[in-house]
Amino acid sequence: MTRKDWTYTFILFVIAFVSRIIPHYPNFTAIGAVAIAGGMAYRNWIPALLATVASMFVSDLLVNNLFYAEFYGSFVWFTPGAVLIYSSFILSVFIPRLLKNGNSTFKWLVSSIASTVLFFLITNFGVWYQTSLYPQTISGLLACYVAAIPFAINQLLGTLFYGALILLAFSYVDKRLVQTV
């Protein structure tokens, strides 16, 4: 990886980590934006996965074992459903790579929407399937999806907001690296 790649990876990690530990609306974080930005910024997908997964893992350790310690009762490496959550964001890294045509703004918007929908479908199916919160019927699945719509809206807004922040940070880094090289 180049110096620029490491700088981008660090920026993505910090933005995602901070967005998850500061008070925020449910699902209004930078994780989706980090996955998409990484998928767009790097030729190799490894740094994008590193930034996405590392920021989630480190912030999960902090959030689950400090802020929600009384909820879990003991140290937690991964919460129930973590596989689905992490998988959704890992898949989101590849979404912008599937879009062959269009400018970067178009790719960003389509990828943000697709990432949110992917996360919504996968994780809420998991909630329906793995818990007793909803009956194991089509009606129960639909009720689970309907109840999750406000969270999906927050996630899309968070992805778009933090995406703009990331694009500004990348622009700043590009200008600074050009000046220092």
Side-chain angles (χ1 to χ4, degrees):
M1 281 186 12
T2 66
R3 177 178 165 202
K4 182 178 173 181
D5 290 341
W6 281 111
T7 303
Y8 279 2
T9 302
F10 180 73
I11 289 169
L12 292 174
F13 173 87
V14 168
I15 291 172
F17 176 80
V18 169
S19 78
R20 294 197 71 221
I21 62 168
I22 61 173
H24 60 275
Y25 288 109
N27 288 24
F28 191 94
T29 68
I31 297 294
V34 164
I36 293 164
M40 290 178 71
Y42 301 108
R43 288 181 184 212
N44 181 344
W45 49 267
I46 303 268
L49 288 180
L50 177 65
T52 303
V53 172
S55 61
M56 285 194 56
F57 180 71
V58 174
S59 61
D60 275 352
L61 286 178
L62 183 66
V63 168
N64 295 332
N65 294 297
L66 183 62
F67 303 146
Y68 296 123
E70 70 281 351
F71 179 74
Y72 292 109
S74 64
F75 189 85
V76 176
W77 286 99
F78 294 99
T79 61
V83 169
L84 297 175
I85 295 166
Y86 280 63
S87 297
S88 298
F89 287 121
I90 289 169
L91 290 171
S92 293
V93 168
F94 299 98
I95 291 173
R97 295 171 175 276
L98 298 173
L99 301 172
K100 303 292 183 202
N101 299 325
N103 64 29
S104 58
T105 303
F106 173 79
K107 285 183 182 181
W108 182 264
L109 289 173
V110 170
S111 297
S112 296
I113 293 166
S115 172
T116 300
V117 170
L118 179 72
F119 181 86
F120 174 82
L121 292 174
I122 291 173
T123 59
N124 290 298
F125 180 84
V127 167
W128 170 76
Y129 185 74
Q130 296 175 338
T131 69
S132 60
L133 293 172
Y134 300 94
Q136 299 292 301
T137 63
I138 296 297
S139 296
L141 178 60
L142 291 175
C144 181
Y145 281 131
V146 168
I149 289 172
F151 299 97
I153 292 168
N154 285 349
Q155 183 174 350
L156 178 60
L157 294 174
T159 300
L160 294 171
F161 171 79
Y162 284 107
L165 184 64
I166 289 167
L167 292 175
L168 287 171
F170 280 7
S171 175
Y172 176 78
V173 168
D174 278 345
K175 288 177 186 170
R176 296 289 297 173
L177 284 177
V178 168
Q179 291 173 358
T180 61
V181 173

PDB file of all heavy atoms in Angstrom, residues 46-72:
ATOM      1  N   ILE A  46      -8.570  -4.778  -0.282  1.00  0.00           N
ATOM      2  CA  ILE A  46      -8.108  -5.102   1.080  1.00  0.00           C
ATOM      3  C   ILE A  46      -8.111  -3.881   2.004  1.00  0.00           C
ATOM      4  O   ILE A  46      -8.608  -3.966   3.123  1.00  0.00           O
ATOM      5  CB  ILE A  46      -6.700  -5.751   1.041  1.00  0.00           C
ATOM      6  CG1 ILE A  46      -6.732  -6.996   0.174  1.00  0.00           C
ATOM      7  CG2 ILE A  46      -6.154  -5.993   2.433  1.00  0.00           C
ATOM      8  CD1 ILE A  46      -6.998  -8.296   0.836  1.00  0.00           C
ATOM      9  N   PRO A  47      -7.577  -2.710   1.605  1.00  0.00           N
ATOM     10  CA  PRO A  47      -7.625  -1.558   2.519  1.00  0.00           C
ATOM     11  C   PRO A  47      -9.057  -1.136   2.867  1.00  0.00           C
ATOM     12  O   PRO A  47      -9.319  -0.711   3.995  1.00  0.00           O
ATOM     13  CB  PRO A  47      -6.906  -0.447   1.746  1.00  0.00           C
ATOM     14  CG  PRO A  47      -6.101  -1.137   0.705  1.00  0.00           C
ATOM     15  CD  PRO A  47      -6.830  -2.399   0.390  1.00  0.00           C
ATOM     16  N   ALA A  48      -9.965  -1.258   1.910  1.00  0.00           N
ATOM     17  CA  ALA A  48     -11.366  -0.916   2.186  1.00  0.00           C
ATOM     18  C   ALA A  48     -11.948  -1.841   3.242  1.00  0.00           C
ATOM     19  O   ALA A  48     -12.646  -1.397   4.164  1.00  0.00           O
ATOM     20  CB  ALA A  48     -12.181  -0.991   0.894  1.00  0.00           C
ATOM     21  N   LEU A  49     -11.660  -3.129   3.119  1.00  0.00           N
ATOM     22  CA  LEU A  49     -12.138  -4.077   4.136  1.00  0.00           C
ATOM     23  C   LEU A  49     -11.468  -3.825   5.476  1.00  0.00           C
ATOM     24  O   LEU A  49     -12.121  -3.900   6.522  1.00  0.00           O
ATOM     25  CB  LEU A  49     -11.878  -5.515   3.685  1.00  0.00           C
ATOM     26  CG  LEU A  49     -12.739  -6.034   2.557  1.00  0.00           C
ATOM     27  CD1 LEU A  49     -12.373  -7.477   2.219  1.00  0.00           C
ATOM     28  CD2 LEU A  49     -14.208  -5.943   2.899  1.00  0.00           C
ATOM     29  N   LEU A  50     -10.187  -3.516   5.452  1.00  0.00           N
ATOM     30  CA  LEU A  50      -9.456  -3.232   6.692  1.00  0.00           C
ATOM     31  C   LEU A  50     -10.082  -2.057   7.438  1.00  0.00           C
ATOM     32  O   LEU A  50     -10.362  -2.147   8.635  1.00  0.00           O
ATOM     33  CB  LEU A  50      -7.987  -2.945   6.376  1.00  0.00           C
ATOM     34  CG  LEU A  50      -7.095  -2.560   7.555  1.00  0.00           C
ATOM     35  CD1 LEU A  50      -6.978  -3.714   8.534  1.00  0.00           C
ATOM     36  CD2 LEU A  50      -5.717  -2.147   7.062  1.00  0.00           C
ATOM     37  N   ALA A  51     -10.326  -0.963   6.745  1.00  0.00           N
ATOM     38  CA  ALA A  51     -10.911   0.219   7.389  1.00  0.00           C
ATOM     39  C   ALA A  51     -12.302  -0.082   7.920  1.00  0.00           C
ATOM     40  O   ALA A  51     -12.651   0.295   9.042  1.00  0.00           O
ATOM     41  CB  ALA A  51     -10.958   1.386   6.403  1.00  0.00           C
ATOM     42  N   THR A  52     -13.118  -0.779   7.126  1.00  0.00           N
ATOM     43  CA  THR A  52     -14.502  -1.071   7.510  1.00  0.00           C
ATOM     44  C   THR A  52     -14.558  -2.018   8.707  1.00  0.00           C
ATOM     45  O   THR A  52     -15.191  -1.724   9.723  1.00  0.00           O
ATOM     46  CB  THR A  52     -15.272  -1.676   6.314  1.00  0.00           C
ATOM     47  OG1 THR A  52     -15.213  -0.764   5.214  1.00  0.00           O
ATOM     48  CG2 THR A  52     -16.713  -1.963   6.675  1.00  0.00           C
ATOM     49  N   VAL A  53     -13.891  -3.150   8.589  1.00  0.00           N
ATOM     50  CA  VAL A  53     -13.977  -4.180   9.638  1.00  0.00           C
ATOM     51  C   VAL A  53     -13.249  -3.748  10.903  1.00  0.00           C
ATOM     52  O   VAL A  53     -13.761  -3.943  12.013  1.00  0.00           O
ATOM     53  CB  VAL A  53     -13.452  -5.536   9.112  1.00  0.00           C
ATOM     54  CG1 VAL A  53     -13.357  -6.563  10.218  1.00  0.00           C
ATOM     55  CG2 VAL A  53     -14.346  -6.047   7.986  1.00  0.00           C
ATOM     56  N   ALA A  54     -12.080  -3.137  10.771  1.00  0.00           N
ATOM     57  CA  ALA A  54     -11.330  -2.707  11.964  1.00  0.00           C
ATOM     58  C   ALA A  54     -12.098  -1.653  12.752  1.00  0.00           C
ATOM     59  O   ALA A  54     -12.161  -1.719  13.981  1.00  0.00           O
ATOM     60  CB  ALA A  54      -9.959  -2.178  11.561  1.00  0.00           C
ATOM     61  N   SER A  55     -12.695  -0.696  12.059  1.00  0.00           N
ATOM     62  CA  SER A  55     -13.439   0.346  12.777  1.00  0.00           C
ATOM     63  C   SER A  55     -14.664  -0.238  13.469  1.00  0.00           C
ATOM     64  O   SER A  55     -14.992   0.152  14.592  1.00  0.00           O
ATOM     65  CB  SER A  55     -13.834   1.488  11.842  1.00  0.00           C
ATOM     66  OG  SER A  55     -14.659   1.035  10.800  1.00  0.00           O
ATOM     67  N   MET A  56     -15.324  -1.175  12.814  1.00  0.00           N
ATOM     68  CA  MET A  56     -16.486  -1.812  13.454  1.00  0.00           C
ATOM     69  C   MET A  56     -16.058  -2.635  14.660  1.00  0.00           C
ATOM     70  O   MET A  56     -16.674  -2.555  15.725  1.00  0.00           O
ATOM     71  CB  MET A  56     -17.221  -2.712  12.457  1.00  0.00           C
ATOM     72  CG  MET A  56     -18.026  -1.928  11.462  1.00  0.00           C
ATOM     73  SD  MET A  56     -19.180  -2.939  10.549  1.00  0.00           S
ATOM     74  CE  MET A  56     -20.115  -3.696  11.833  1.00  0.00           C
ATOM     75  N   PHE A  57     -15.017  -3.437  14.493  1.00  0.00           N
ATOM     76  CA  PHE A  57     -14.587  -4.328  15.566  1.00  0.00           C
ATOM     77  C   PHE A  57     -14.123  -3.539  16.795  1.00  0.00           C
ATOM     78  O   PHE A  57     -14.563  -3.811  17.914  1.00  0.00           O
ATOM     79  CB  PHE A  57     -13.477  -5.261  15.070  1.00  0.00           C
ATOM     80  CG  PHE A  57     -12.985  -6.206  16.126  1.00  0.00           C
ATOM     81  CD1 PHE A  57     -13.787  -7.246  16.564  1.00  0.00           C
ATOM     82  CD2 PHE A  57     -11.739  -6.043  16.688  1.00  0.00           C
ATOM     83  CE1 PHE A  57     -13.347  -8.113  17.553  1.00  0.00           C
ATOM     84  CE2 PHE A  57     -11.287  -6.904  17.669  1.00  0.00           C
ATOM     85  CZ  PHE A  57     -12.087  -7.940  18.105  1.00  0.00           C
ATOM     86  N   VAL A  58     -13.263  -2.558  16.588  1.00  0.00           N
ATOM     87  CA  VAL A  58     -12.749  -1.779  17.722  1.00  0.00           C
ATOM     88  C   VAL A  58     -13.870  -0.996  18.400  1.00  0.00           C
ATOM     89  O   VAL A  58     -13.968  -0.971  19.631  1.00  0.00           O
ATOM     90  CB  VAL A  58     -11.593  -0.847  17.269  1.00  0.00           C
ATOM     91  CG1 VAL A  58     -11.159   0.074  18.393  1.00  0.00           C
ATOM     92  CG2 VAL A  58     -10.421  -1.675  16.767  1.00  0.00           C
ATOM     93  N   SER A  59     -14.733  -0.375  17.613  1.00  0.00           N
ATOM     94  CA  SER A  59     -15.838   0.381  18.223  1.00  0.00           C
ATOM     95  C   SER A  59     -16.841  -0.561  18.891  1.00  0.00           C
ATOM     96  O   SER A  59     -17.380  -0.229  19.948  1.00  0.00           O
ATOM     97  CB  SER A  59     -16.521   1.293  17.207  1.00  0.00           C
ATOM     98  OG  SER A  59     -17.081   0.557  16.152  1.00  0.00           O
ATOM     99  N   ASP A  60     -17.079  -1.733  18.315  1.00  0.00           N
ATOM    100  CA  ASP A  60     -17.956  -2.718  18.963  1.00  0.00           C
ATOM    101  C   ASP A  60     -17.401  -3.135  20.319  1.00  0.00           C
ATOM    102  O   ASP A  60     -18.155  -3.256  21.292  1.00  0.00           O
ATOM    103  CB  ASP A  60     -18.124  -3.969  18.095  1.00  0.00           C
ATOM    104  CG  ASP A  60     -19.209  -3.840  17.055  1.00  0.00           C
ATOM    105  OD1 ASP A  60     -19.958  -2.845  17.088  1.00  0.00           O
ATOM    106  OD2 ASP A  60     -19.315  -4.746  16.202  1.00  0.00           O
ATOM    107  N   LEU A  61     -16.105  -3.387  20.390  1.00  0.00           N
ATOM    108  CA  LEU A  61     -15.508  -3.758  21.673  1.00  0.00           C
ATOM    109  C   LEU A  61     -15.750  -2.679  22.717  1.00  0.00           C
ATOM    110  O   LEU A  61     -16.128  -2.972  23.848  1.00  0.00           O
ATOM    111  CB  LEU A  61     -14.004  -4.015  21.520  1.00  0.00           C
ATOM    112  CG  LEU A  61     -13.594  -5.304  20.846  1.00  0.00           C
ATOM    113  CD1 LEU A  61     -12.069  -5.380  20.728  1.00  0.00           C
ATOM    114  CD2 LEU A  61     -14.126  -6.521  21.586  1.00  0.00           C
ATOM    115  N   LEU A  62     -15.549  -1.456  22.338  1.00  0.00           N
ATOM    116  CA  LEU A  62     -15.735  -0.335  23.261  1.00  0.00           C
ATOM    117  C   LEU A  62     -17.209  -0.163  23.633  1.00  0.00           C
ATOM    118  O   LEU A  62     -17.561  -0.119  24.815  1.00  0.00           O
ATOM    119  CB  LEU A  62     -15.189   0.955  22.641  1.00  0.00           C
ATOM    120  CG  LEU A  62     -15.246   2.191  23.511  1.00  0.00           C
ATOM    121  CD1 LEU A  62     -14.330   2.040  24.715  1.00  0.00           C
ATOM    122  CD2 LEU A  62     -14.862   3.412  22.711  1.00  0.00           C
ATOM    123  N   VAL A  63     -18.064  -0.087  22.636  1.00  0.00           N
ATOM    124  CA  VAL A  63     -19.493   0.142  22.880  1.00  0.00           C
ATOM    125  C   VAL A  63     -20.106  -0.998  23.689  1.00  0.00           C
ATOM    126  O   VAL A  63     -20.799  -0.771  24.687  1.00  0.00           O
ATOM    127  CB  VAL A  63     -20.251   0.340  21.547  1.00  0.00           C
ATOM    128  CG1 VAL A  63     -21.748   0.296  21.744  1.00  0.00           C
ATOM    129  CG2 VAL A  63     -19.829   1.649  20.894  1.00  0.00           C
ATOM    130  N   ASN A  64     -19.850  -2.224  23.287  1.00  0.00           N
ATOM    131  CA  ASN A  64     -20.491  -3.367  23.937  1.00  0.00           C
ATOM    132  C   ASN A  64     -19.956  -3.646  25.334  1.00  0.00           C
ATOM    133  O   ASN A  64     -20.683  -4.170  26.176  1.00  0.00           O
ATOM    134  CB  ASN A  64     -20.342  -4.622  23.079  1.00  0.00           C
ATOM    135  CG  ASN A  64     -21.073  -4.496  21.765  1.00  0.00           C
ATOM    136  OD1 ASN A  64     -22.054  -3.782  21.656  1.00  0.00           O
ATOM    137  ND2 ASN A  64     -20.572  -5.175  20.752  1.00  0.00           N
ATOM    138  N   ASN A  65     -18.692  -3.300  25.585  1.00  0.00           N
ATOM    139  CA  ASN A  65     -18.100  -3.640  26.876  1.00  0.00           C
ATOM    140  C   ASN A  65     -17.933  -2.451  27.817  1.00  0.00           C
ATOM    141  O   ASN A  65     -17.571  -2.629  28.967  1.00  0.00           O
ATOM    142  CB  ASN A  65     -16.759  -4.339  26.652  1.00  0.00           C
ATOM    143  CG  ASN A  65     -16.958  -5.673  25.979  1.00  0.00           C
ATOM    144  OD1 ASN A  65     -17.581  -6.565  26.537  1.00  0.00           O
ATOM    145  ND2 ASN A  65     -16.482  -5.793  24.752  1.00  0.00           N
ATOM    146  N   LEU A  66     -18.259  -1.267  27.328  1.00  0.00           N
ATOM    147  CA  LEU A  66     -18.214  -0.092  28.190  1.00  0.00           C
ATOM    148  C   LEU A  66     -19.604   0.521  28.316  1.00  0.00           C
ATOM    149  O   LEU A  66     -20.172   0.595  29.396  1.00  0.00           O
ATOM    150  CB  LEU A  66     -17.219   0.940  27.631  1.00  0.00           C
ATOM    151  CG  LEU A  66     -17.004   2.195  28.459  1.00  0.00           C
ATOM    152  CD1 LEU A  66     -16.429   1.847  29.825  1.00  0.00           C
ATOM    153  CD2 LEU A  66     -16.074   3.151  27.731  1.00  0.00           C
ATOM    154  N   PHE A  67     -20.184   0.906  27.196  1.00  0.00           N
ATOM    155  CA  PHE A  67     -21.482   1.571  27.225  1.00  0.00           C
ATOM    156  C   PHE A  67     -22.630   0.616  27.542  1.00  0.00           C
ATOM    157  O   PHE A  67     -23.594   0.993  28.194  1.00  0.00           O
ATOM    158  CB  PHE A  67     -21.760   2.278  25.899  1.00  0.00           C
ATOM    159  CG  PHE A  67     -20.706   3.280  25.503  1.00  0.00           C
ATOM    160  CD1 PHE A  67     -20.383   3.469  24.183  1.00  0.00           C
ATOM    161  CD2 PHE A  67     -20.028   4.041  26.449  1.00  0.00           C
ATOM    162  CE1 PHE A  67     -19.421   4.395  23.799  1.00  0.00           C
ATOM    163  CE2 PHE A  67     -19.073   4.959  26.086  1.00  0.00           C
ATOM    164  CZ  PHE A  67     -18.763   5.141  24.756  1.00  0.00           C
ATOM    165  N   TYR A  68     -22.551  -0.612  27.041  1.00  0.00           N
ATOM    166  CA  TYR A  68     -23.623  -1.590  27.251  1.00  0.00           C
ATOM    167  C   TYR A  68     -23.181  -2.766  28.108  1.00  0.00           C
ATOM    168  O   TYR A  68     -23.753  -3.849  28.025  1.00  0.00           O
ATOM    169  CB  TYR A  68     -24.160  -2.104  25.911  1.00  0.00           C
ATOM    170  CG  TYR A  68     -24.824  -1.040  25.078  1.00  0.00           C
ATOM    171  CD1 TYR A  68     -24.376  -0.765  23.798  1.00  0.00           C
ATOM    172  CD2 TYR A  68     -25.893  -0.309  25.577  1.00  0.00           C
ATOM    173  CE1 TYR A  68     -24.983   0.225  23.026  1.00  0.00           C
ATOM    174  CE2 TYR A  68     -26.497   0.680  24.821  1.00  0.00           C
ATOM    175  CZ  TYR A  68     -26.038   0.936  23.544  1.00  0.00           C
ATOM    176  OH  TYR A  68     -26.634   1.915  22.795  1.00  0.00           O
ATOM    177  N   ALA A  69     -22.192  -2.571  28.950  1.00  0.00           N
ATOM    178  CA  ALA A  69     -21.648  -3.657  29.767  1.00  0.00           C
ATOM    179  C   ALA A  69     -22.712  -4.312  30.639  1.00  0.00           C
ATOM    180  O   ALA A  69     -22.753  -5.538  30.780  1.00  0.00           O
ATOM    181  CB  ALA A  69     -20.495  -3.146  30.631  1.00  0.00           C
ATOM    182  N   GLU A  70     -23.608  -3.522  31.212  1.00  0.00           N
ATOM    183  CA  GLU A  70     -24.645  -4.092  32.088  1.00  0.00           C
ATOM    184  C   GLU A  70     -25.647  -4.931  31.295  1.00  0.00           C
ATOM    185  O   GLU A  70     -26.265  -5.837  31.835  1.00  0.00           O
ATOM    186  CB  GLU A  70     -25.375  -2.996  32.882  1.00  0.00           C
ATOM    187  CG  GLU A  70     -26.292  -2.092  32.062  1.00  0.00           C
ATOM    188  CD  GLU A  70     -25.572  -0.994  31.277  1.00  0.00           C
ATOM    189  OE1 GLU A  70     -24.372  -0.788  31.455  1.00  0.00           O
ATOM    190  OE2 GLU A  70     -26.253  -0.345  30.465  1.00  0.00           O
ATOM    191  N   PHE A  71     -25.786  -4.670  30.022  1.00  0.00           N
ATOM    192  CA  PHE A  71     -26.709  -5.436  29.184  1.00  0.00           C
ATOM    193  C   PHE A  71     -26.181  -6.844  28.925  1.00  0.00           C
ATOM    194  O   PHE A  71     -26.927  -7.807  28.936  1.00  0.00           O
ATOM    195  CB  PHE A  71     -26.944  -4.701  27.862  1.00  0.00           C
ATOM    196  CG  PHE A  71     -27.853  -5.415  26.914  1.00  0.00           C
ATOM    197  CD1 PHE A  71     -29.230  -5.453  27.139  1.00  0.00           C
ATOM    198  CD2 PHE A  71     -27.355  -6.062  25.802  1.00  0.00           C
ATOM    199  CE1 PHE A  71     -30.079  -6.109  26.266  1.00  0.00           C
ATOM    200  CE2 PHE A  71     -28.192  -6.727  24.924  1.00  0.00           C
ATOM    201  CZ  PHE A  71     -29.556  -6.747  25.156  1.00  0.00           C
ATOM    202  N   TYR A  72     -24.868  -6.957  28.693  1.00  0.00           N
ATOM    203  CA  TYR A  72     -24.290  -8.254  28.358  1.00  0.00           C
ATOM    204  C   TYR A  72     -23.815  -9.031  29.580  1.00  0.00           C
ATOM    205  O   TYR A  72     -23.774 -10.253  29.556  1.00  0.00           O
ATOM    206  CB  TYR A  72     -23.141  -8.084  27.361  1.00  0.00           C
ATOM    207  CG  TYR A  72     -23.628  -7.611  26.018  1.00  0.00           C
ATOM    208  CD1 TYR A  72     -23.364  -6.324  25.567  1.00  0.00           C
ATOM    209  CD2 TYR A  72     -24.381  -8.440  25.204  1.00  0.00           C
ATOM    210  CE1 TYR A  72     -23.826  -5.882  24.347  1.00  0.00           C
ATOM    211  CE2 TYR A  72     -24.857  -8.003  23.984  1.00  0.00           C
ATOM    212  CZ  TYR A  72     -24.570  -6.729  23.555  1.00  0.00           C
ATOM    213  OH  TYR A  72     -25.032  -6.299  22.349  1.00  0.00           O
TER     214      TYR A  72
END
